[in-house]
């Protein structure tokens, strides 16, 4: 920008951007001209308003800079009007009833706080997407509203503590887990082609039990992929920081540097697109689905969330002065209160057919929301709540017992890989989101519920006072009321389920249970109070979530039936024919034939069971899906899979119709 904009325009634009102010047409026209000149200098001839509809992925409509000059030639044009506003079909995207086919008009609006970028020789301009009537039809607009809400409420909270700040921003780091497989093998499996996850597959002789894959050296194909991805990302200004092997075989993770919430959202969407593209060019298949393989880890997208002021302070970092510590503890209690009050919304933010399969097993957090704080911070809060002194272990160090190695300082908290929402020193890590999902939903809800708690904290500070004793009483009361959400143990333990029920925590194991909470009176009031979502927008999103869930369920069932009917059963018939042929030959030779008879009987039983289950599943899928029928469908699909996986284990390898888990993962 500095290179292509006049100095005064550059300065004015940055001031507007940092303060969240509206841009004048003068600045917009100058920005449009600068963007066009920058793009043309790099051989670009087209632009697009790049947006994020409620499909969960991105959308774009390429437009040319070329305009006819009326003399048989063409000129390059791009105005501030074209930069600020575009138009797109709003009826073809998910809208939850906000738009009908005959109401197709939708608008895209430039977001100045998000960076424009060049991808595939196209100038991409990040935009919001709304209907003709102004309702948000995308995932980014409500996210931006939630960032404004938390900024507003947090600034008021800070001002009451005597901290005058101009801006509070949400910082996000999204860790992206994924599987990387050989494309030729993936292309031989219809489930991976249609769904990006497997619906059948017996466990291989070796899974992730030994765990040697975790943090192991990258093999050459993965290394080549990682290097090309990093190069492509850095060229777009997306700074990837970490890339390593994950626990499951063929599973990996990429983590970026922290950035503002809206930038982090853009960057994560671009990152997934780049990873898919690079993988395809190298004969690989990059899979983001939450549970592509049974028996091994699923893939999450851990959202690390923190708050940063315009003075560079992290509000989730314990300070060196009593004032800073007071601010830190109040912020922590705001988060704890928000999570406890709004367990339904946090669970709702990660709902989906694929993520339901992942949650609660193989290092994925459970569906019961709790907060991990670590023993030291929990002890401090408990001491305040109970009015006693807490002995701290500040400065404690771990002695390694090896000469030449220095002692390591102890962090204020350990790590808990089973916790859904864990404090990790200066941020909270929300571990529940699935790898394939947009991070917009989880961030939006975190922002909204914590903005509400800052609002309530400000009211308490105004009513009860801002002196040390009053603040201590506010912290103590909040800890006593919301300590039920704090749990530092093993979330997988049966004892925790029993304890969580005693504490009155919500058990929402499936998406069908949590989606209806979206439009509850409590949640509608919350979103409307902070201007994040209107009731109409909430109901639309609830309908979209339900439709996406049932569509995913029915599609997976249909894919299972096709594979069974056109691949598995014909393969079994071929094997049975071979067995009968061998049986006849052995009988002619007066040889023992019990081995063939036993195997034929075992396979025929499985064949009949699979045929029966397939017929029942097909009949149920043909009906209009109802909420009460979901469990029956899921149970049928589960039993069908178990029977087919049993067949895979007893049939000859060369006769099985598609690559096995062992082939794919190893």
């Amino acid at each position: 920008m500095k290179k292509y904009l006049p100095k005064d325009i550059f300065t004015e634009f940055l001031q507007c951007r940092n303060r969240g102010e509206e841009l004048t047409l003068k600045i917009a026209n100058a920005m449009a001209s600068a963007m066009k000149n920058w793009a043309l200098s790099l051989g670009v001839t087209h632009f697009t308003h790049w947006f994020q509809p409620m499909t969960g992925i991105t959308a774009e409509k390429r437009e040319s800079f070329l305009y006819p000059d009326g003399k048989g030639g063409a000129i390059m044009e791009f105005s501030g009007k074209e930069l600020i506003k575009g138009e797109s079909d709003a009826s073809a995207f998910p809208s939850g009833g906000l738009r009908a086919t005959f109401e197709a008009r939708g608008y895209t609006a430039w977001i100045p706080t998000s960076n424009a970028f060049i991808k595939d020789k196209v100038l991409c301009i990040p935009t919001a997407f709304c209907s003709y009537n102004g309702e948000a039809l995308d995932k980014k607009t409500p996210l931006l509203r939630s960032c404004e809400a938390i900024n507003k409420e947090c600034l008021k909270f800070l001002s009451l503590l005597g901290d005058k700040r101009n801006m509070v921003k949400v910082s996000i780091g999204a860790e992206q887990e994924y599987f990387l497989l050989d494309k030729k093998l993936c292309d031989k499996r219809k489930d991976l082609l249609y769904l990006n996850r497997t619906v059948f597959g017996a466990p291989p002789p070796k899974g992730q039990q030994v765990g040697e894959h975790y943090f192991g050296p990258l093999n050459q194909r993965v290394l080549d992929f990682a290097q090309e991805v990093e190069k492509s990302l850095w060229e777009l200004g997306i700074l990837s920081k970490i890339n390593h092997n994950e626990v499951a075989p063929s599973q990996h993770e990429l983590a970026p540097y922290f950035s503002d919430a809206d930038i982090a959202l853009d960057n994560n969407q671009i990152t997934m697109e780049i990873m898919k593209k690079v993988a395809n060019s190298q004969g690989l298949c990059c899979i983001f689905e939450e549970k592509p393989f049974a028996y091994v880890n699923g893939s999450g997208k851990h959202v690390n969330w923190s708050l940063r002021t315009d003075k560079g302070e992290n509000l989730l970092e314990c300070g060196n002065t009593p004032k800073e510590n007071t601010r830190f503890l109040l912020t922590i209690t705001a988060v704890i209160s928000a999570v406890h009050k709004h367990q339904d919304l946090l669970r709702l933010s990660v709902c989906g057919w694929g993520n339901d399969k992942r949650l609660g097993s193989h290092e994925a957090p459970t569906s019961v929301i709790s907060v991990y704080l670590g023993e030291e911070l929990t002890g401090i809060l408990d001491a305040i709540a109970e009015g006693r002194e807490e002995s701290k272990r500040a400065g404690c160090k771990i002695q390694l017992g090896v000469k030449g190695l220095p002692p390591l300082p102890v962090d204020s908290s350990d790590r808990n890989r089973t916790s859904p929402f864990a404090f990790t020193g200066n941020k909270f890590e929300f571990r529940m989101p699935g790898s394939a999902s947009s991070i917009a939903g989880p961030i939006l809800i975190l922002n909204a519920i914590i903005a509400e708690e800052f609002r309530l904290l400000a009211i308490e500070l105004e009513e009860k006072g801002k002196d040390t004793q009053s603040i201590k009483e506010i912290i103590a009361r909040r800890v006593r009321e919301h300590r039920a959400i704090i749990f530092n143990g093993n979330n997988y333990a049966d004892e925790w389920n029993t304890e969580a029920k005693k504490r009155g925590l919500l058990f929402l194991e499936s998406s069908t249970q949590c989606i209806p909470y979206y439009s509850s009176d409590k949640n509608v009031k919350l979103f409307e109070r902070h201007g994040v979502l209107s009731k109409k927008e909430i109901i639309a999103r609830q309908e979209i979530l339900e439709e996406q869930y049932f569509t995913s369920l029915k599609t997976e069932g249909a894919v299972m039936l096709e594979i069974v009917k056109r691949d598995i059963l014909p393969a079994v018939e071929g094997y049975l024919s071979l067995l009968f042929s061998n049986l006849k030959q052995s009988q002619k030779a007066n040889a023992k034939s019990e081995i063939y008879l036993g195997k034929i009987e075992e396979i025929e039983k499985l064949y009949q069971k699979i045929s029966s289950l397939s017929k029942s599943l097909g009949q149920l899928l043909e009906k209009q899906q109802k909420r009460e029928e979901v469990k029956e469908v899921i149970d049928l699909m589960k039993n069908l899979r178990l029977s087919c996986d049993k067949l895979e284990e007893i049939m000859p390898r060369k006769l099985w119709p598609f690559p096995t888990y062992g082939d794919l993962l190893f």
Side-chain angles (χ1 to χ4, degrees), residues 302-575:
H302 306 156
V303 176
N304 294 279
W305 183 96
S306 62
L307 293 172
R308 189 185 77 254
T309 72
D310 55 315
K311 290 194 174 183
E313 305 151 303
N314 182 348
L315 298 183
L316 289 174
E317 206 156 57
C318 188
N320 297 317
T321 66
K323 183 179 178 181
E324 289 173 337
N325 288 335
T326 296
R327 184 178 67 193
F328 166 74
L329 290 174
L330 281 169
T331 303
I332 289 290
T333 57
V335 175
I336 294 168
S337 304
V339 174
H340 190 210
K341 291 179 183 178
H342 302 285
Q343 303 163 57
D344 55 343
L345 282 177
L346 279 179
R347 175 64 182 91
L348 172 68
S349 75
V350 299
C351 71
W353 171 245
N355 211 30
D356 280 1
K357 295 170 179 285
R358 165 182 164 261
L359 293 176
S361 67
H362 294 96
E363 293 195 10
T366 65
S367 56
V368 180
I369 305 288
S370 66
V371 176
Y372 171 83
L373 294 179
E375 297 300 330
E376 184 176 16
L377 183 53
T378 303
I380 292 169
L381 293 175
D382 282 344
I384 294 172
E386 296 162 14
R388 58 178 171 80
E389 290 294 321
E390 166 65 15
S391 59
K392 300 180 183 178
R393 58 170 187 169
C396 175
K397 295 184 177 181
I398 298 173
Q399 300 293 335
L400 300 178
V402 179
K403 290 182 179 180
L405 294 181
L408 300 177
V410 176
D411 290 314
S412 62
S413 66
D414 203 342
R415 297 289 296 273
N416 188 330
R417 297 176 69 86
T418 67
S419 176
F421 198 74
F423 183 64
T424 56
N426 60 0
K427 61 187 184 300
F428 278 95
E429 182 182 25
F430 190 23
R431 297 179 58 84
M432 294 180 76
S435 175
S437 64
S438 166
I439 59 176
I443 299 171
L444 177 159
I445 283 174
L446 277 172
N447 290 352
I449 65 176
I450 294 169
E452 172 68 1
E453 288 309 307
F454 278 131
R455 184 185 76 85
L456 296 175
L457 265 178
I459 293 172
E460 285 187 272
L461 289 168
E462 287 178 324
E463 291 179 350
K464 298 180 180 178
K466 301 180 283 292
D467 58 280
T468 302
Q469 186 56 38
S470 297
I471 289 175
K472 199 170 183 179
E473 288 173 3
I474 290 172
I475 295 172
R477 181 189 60 77
R478 282 177 166 262
V479 173
R480 287 194 295 268
E481 289 181 2
H482 303 292
R483 71 193 334 160
I485 201 71
I486 302 171
F487 180 66
N488 295 324
N490 179 8
N491 291 67
Y492 287 166
D494 292 337
E495 296 82 2
W496 166 235
N497 284 333
T498 304
E499 176 64 23
K501 287 176 182 175
K502 286 182 182 177
R503 296 185 185 192
L505 302 185
L506 282 176
F507 276 69
L508 301 173
E509 295 180 355
S510 74
S511 294
T512 53
Q513 292 174 296
C514 61
I515 290 174
Y517 280 89
Y518 216 149
S519 58
S520 70
D521 289 342
K522 169 183 78 80
N523 293 333
V524 170
K525 287 177 183 176
L526 169 76
F527 288 126
E528 289 190 329
R529 180 182 295 120
H530 294 284
V532 175
L533 289 168
S534 67
K535 185 172 183 179
K536 201 172 181 182
E537 290 171 328
I538 291 166
I539 291 171
R541 279 155 178 76
Q542 180 173 311
E543 289 184 9
I544 289 169
L545 286 174
E546 287 183 340
E547 183 181 353
Q548 288 173 339
Y549 181 89
F550 288 120
T551 300
S552 297
L553 173 64
K554 294 184 78 168
T555 302
E556 185 163 311
V559 170
M560 290 184 84
L561 289 177
E562 176 169 326
I563 293 173
V564 167
K565 292 175 181 177
R566 302 185 66 180
D567 296 298
I568 292 177
L569 291 183
V572 176
E573 290 162 4
Y575 185 40

Side-chain angles (χ1 to χ4, degrees), residues 155-163 457-459 461-462 466:
L155 285 178
K156 185 175 181 181
F157 157 73
L158 291 174
S159 69
L160 289 169
L161 296 179
D163 294 333
L457 265 178
I459 293 172
L461 289 168
E462 287 178 324
K466 301 180 283 292

Side-chain angles (χ1 to χ4, degrees), residues 137-188:
L137 296 176
D138 64 344
K139 288 182 173 287
K140 193 167 185 181
T141 302
L143 170 69
L144 292 170
R145 294 172 184 168
S146 75
C147 289
E148 289 183 4
I150 203 166
N151 173 59
K152 173 188 171 185
E153 301 299 344
C154 193
L155 285 178
K156 185 175 181 181
F157 157 73
L158 291 174
S159 69
L160 289 169
L161 296 179
D163 294 333
K164 299 295 181 181
R165 302 291 182 266
N166 296 315
M167 181 75 72
V168 173
K169 291 192 174 184
V170 178
S171 287
I172 297 293
E175 303 168 22
Q176 180 71 57
E177 294 180 339
Y178 61 99
F179 280 84
L180 200 61
L181 309 172
D182 186 274
K183 191 174 185 301
K184 289 181 180 178
L185 292 174
C186 291
D187 288 346
K188 295 178 180 178

